[in-house]
């Protein structure tokens, strides 16, 4: 029985060890792994386990059964834990104690609170440049309502008002459409009676010199895209509400941008400008969302803007008016220039139709109307060089050398277009500097803007953790400079440039 006595003494020694040298001396049983389920029950609910029968070989070679308590002590490496912990091994007990001490130490130095405060400080804040937010009116403080029943007072007897007579006039949910004819170009974010800054006309009248284009391969093109970045000075609130359209002016000495919002407002922004609010001027030529806008390359002082209210107008900085170009009852969605002199337009509506509009023709109606698709056209964008092509943001790239009811499909690109109710639909636009690449916003996180080749290959993703935290639904490239804009749902424009 010397062997049994030795084993019994070893078990006693283990139970008398302190936690400091416990890990080095405790023998771990291969049968008792550190299963997480041991932490899920307590001693009072423990299910009794069947004891395994073992045999010990005595010194004389005979097989004798060990006593029950010796067998349990030999085959077990667990101890009775404090109440609420169940039966845990010594290693698990030591681990739990270390966790408790570490948490107590971190709480004592307020690390958890400091971590939460750090998250609040590092969270990106929207840019405060551009239009200032209108101050909310001070609400009148009224006394709290008290129940007449609790005050043991009788309820007041109220009489219904008399029924109205005559025809009821309901207030419209949106303002009425602007009257036809030219509208004065008066900014609404400056003092009443203020004239347009003369620097705006000088900038718009700048002689745009188009340098000879350098033919880049896709590798060189991707390299130029990587050099374009955004910072705090390149983000500003240009319109008051959600941006539906935006574009660059073709001038090269400065970056001049335009944006249209949900309620028919048009904003102009010069980066680093000293007029208006941080270089922002705001106008009201429409009453419904401005779905599309573009500067005329042939007449750089003109900005054409289209609205859901059915009006297509031309902002002429030289004349300081908004002229009529095309007008229907409602439902205009998008447009683009179909000729190099910008005299002919292709205009899309909500019903899957496109109209051909010639600005040289007197009046404000179309020349012809064609049906391409019964679905709603989100946007149309004509190819910068080959004017018979245009891209539609319903995944279809069409060859429109001959306008027919069915146009051949060239490429389909899988892209998430589900923006939901509160975001502007994503719109795609060609890069004028490279004839086979276009840009489109993205719903992916972290937020980004993506550039694709017409074959469907992704060329670059524009991202910035500090200055880009929202979906940029509206995107456009500068016609000659390495610059890209993106507009979000709060009326802010982001500019990526080299």
């Amino acid at each position: 029985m010397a062997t049994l006595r030795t084993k019994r003494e070893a078990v006693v020694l283990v139970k008398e060890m302190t936690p400091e040298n416990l890990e080095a001396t405790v023998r771990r049983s291969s049968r008792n792994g550190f299963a997480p389920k041991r932490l899920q029950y307590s001693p009072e609910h423990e299910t009794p386990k069947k004891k395994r029968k073992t045999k010990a070989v005595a010194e004389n070679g005979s097989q004798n059964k060990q006593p029950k308590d010796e067998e349990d002590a030999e085959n077990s490496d667990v101890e009775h834990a404090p109440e609420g912990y169940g039966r845990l091994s010594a290693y698990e007990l030591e681990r739990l104690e270390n966790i408790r001490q570490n948490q107590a130490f971190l709480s004592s130095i307020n690390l958890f609170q400091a971590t939460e405060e750090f998250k609040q400080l590092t969270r990106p804040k929207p840019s405060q440049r551009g239009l200032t937010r209108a101050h909310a009116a001070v609400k009148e403080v009224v006394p709290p309502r008290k129940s007449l029943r609790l005050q043991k007072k009788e309820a007041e007897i109220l009489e219904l008002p008399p029924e109205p007579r005559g025809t009821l006039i309901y207030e419209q949910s949106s303002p009425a459409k602007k009257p036809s004819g030219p509208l004065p170009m008066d900014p609404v974010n400056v003092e009443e009676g203020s004239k347009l800054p003369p620097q705006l006309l000088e900038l718009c009248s700048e002689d745009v010199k188009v340098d000879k284009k350098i033919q880049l391969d896709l590798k060189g093109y991707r390299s130029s895209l990587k050099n374009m970045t955004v910072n705090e000075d390149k983000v500003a609130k240009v319109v008051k509400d959600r941006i539906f359209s935006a574009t660059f002016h073709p001038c090269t000495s400065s970056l001049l941008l335009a944006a249209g919002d949900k309620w028919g407002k048009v904003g102009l922004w010069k980066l680093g400008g000293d007029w208006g609010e941080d270089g922002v001027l705001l106008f009201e030529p429409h009453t419904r969302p401005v779905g599309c806008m573009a500067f005329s390359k042939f007449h750089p002082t003109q900005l054409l803007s289209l609205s859901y209210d059915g009006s297509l107008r031309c902002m002429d900085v030289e004349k300081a008016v908004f002229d009529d170009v095309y007008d229907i009852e409602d439902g205009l969605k998008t447009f683009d220039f179909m000729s190099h002199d910008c005299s002919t337009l292709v205009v899309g509506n909500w019903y899957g139709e496109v109209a051909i509009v010639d600005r040289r023709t007197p009046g404000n109606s179309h020349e012809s109307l064609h049906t391409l698709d019964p679905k709603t056209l989100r946007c149309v964008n004509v190819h910068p060089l080959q004017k018979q092509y245009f891209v539609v943001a319903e995944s279809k790239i069409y060859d429109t050398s001959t306008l027919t009811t069915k146009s051949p499909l060239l490429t389909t690109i899988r892209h998430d277009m589900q923006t939901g109710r509160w975001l502007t639909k994503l719109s795609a636009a060609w890069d004028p500097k490279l004839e086979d690449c276009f840009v489109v916003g993205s719903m992916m996180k972290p937020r980004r803007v993506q550039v694709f080749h017409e074959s469907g290959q992704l060329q670059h993703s524009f991202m910035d953790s500090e200055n880009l935290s929202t979906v940029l639904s509206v995107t456009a490239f500068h016609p000659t400079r390495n610059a890209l804009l993106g507009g979000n749902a709060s009326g802010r424009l982001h500019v990526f440039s080299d």
Side-chain angles (χ1 to χ4, degrees), residues 287-302:
T287 60
R288 298 289 303 280
V290 182
C292 188
M293 59 170 46
F295 283 98
S296 171
K297 298 178 183 178
F298 197 73
H299 299 285
T301 59
Q302 297 179 358

Side-chain angles (χ1 to χ4, degrees), residues 131 134 175 178 186-189 237-246 258-268 277 280-293 303-309 311 313 315 322 491 493:
L131 298 177
K178 297 285 184 178
D186 297 330
V188 297
N189 65 325
K237 189 175 180 64
V238 182
V239 287
K240 293 185 177 181
D241 297 285
R242 188 205 314 177
I243 292 179
F244 275 67
S245 58
D261 72 359
K262 180 179 180 180
W263 295 112
K265 297 180 179 61
V266 172
L268 296 179
E277 299 177 83
V280 176
L281 297 175
L282 187 65
F283 307 93
E284 295 180 335
H286 307 281
T287 60
R288 298 289 303 280
V290 182
C292 188
M293 59 170 46
L303 170 68
L304 279 76
S305 58
L306 173 148
S307 175
Y308 291 5
D309 62 13
S311 63
R313 292 184 176 273
M315 181 191 75
F322 286 90
L493 284 179

Side-chain angles (χ1 to χ4, degrees), residues 62-216:
S62 61
Q63 295 181 351
N64 298 325
K65 292 184 178 180
Q66 296 181 358
K68 186 176 182 1
D69 57 345
E70 294 180 0
E71 178 187 358
D72 293 341
E74 179 182 359
N75 297 326
S76 176
D77 65 343
V78 299
E79 293 186 353
H80 289 287
E83 183 178 357
Y85 283 92
R87 293 184 65 193
L88 302 178
S89 67
Y91 173 79
E92 290 171 328
L93 288 174
E94 183 180 7
R95 177 175 173 274
L96 291 175
E97 179 62 21
N98 290 338
I99 293 175
R100 187 192 64 79
Q101 293 179 3
N102 291 338
Q103 290 181 344
F105 173 73
L106 295 177
S107 300
S108 65
I109 62 175
N110 297 326
L111 181 62
F112 299 118
Q113 181 180 358
T115 302
E116 192 64 28
E117 294 177 354
F118 179 76
K119 290 181 180 179
Q120 296 293 335
L121 292 175
T122 57
R123 185 172 300 169
K125 297 181 179 179
S127 172
Q128 302 301 316
R129 300 180 63 84
L131 298 177
T132 57
R133 184 174 298 178
H135 298 286
V138 180
K139 294 184 178 180
E140 181 183 359
V141 179
V142 296
R145 297 181 59 186
K146 296 182 180 179
S147 171
L148 295 177
R149 179 180 60 83
L150 296 179
Q151 299 181 52
K152 298 181 179 180
K153 296 181 179 180
E154 295 183 359
E156 299 179 2
I157 300 177
L158 301 178
E159 296 182 358
L160 294 176
E163 294 184 2
R165 297 182 179 179
T167 305
L168 292 177
I169 301 177
Y170 295 95
E171 183 180 359
Q172 297 181 355
S173 58
S174 61
K177 188 175 180 179
K178 297 285 184 178
S180 59
L183 299 176
M185 190 176 169
D186 297 330
V188 297
N189 65 325
V190 296
E191 295 182 0
E192 187 176 356
S194 299
K195 297 182 179 180
L196 294 175
Q199 298 88 349
L200 177 61
L201 180 58
E202 295 176 3
L203 184 61
C204 292
S205 303
E206 179 181 308
D207 185 13
V208 180
K209 297 180 180 180
V210 180
D211 298 332
K212 186 177 181 180
K213 295 184 179 179
I214 301 176
Q215 298 296 330
L216 293 177

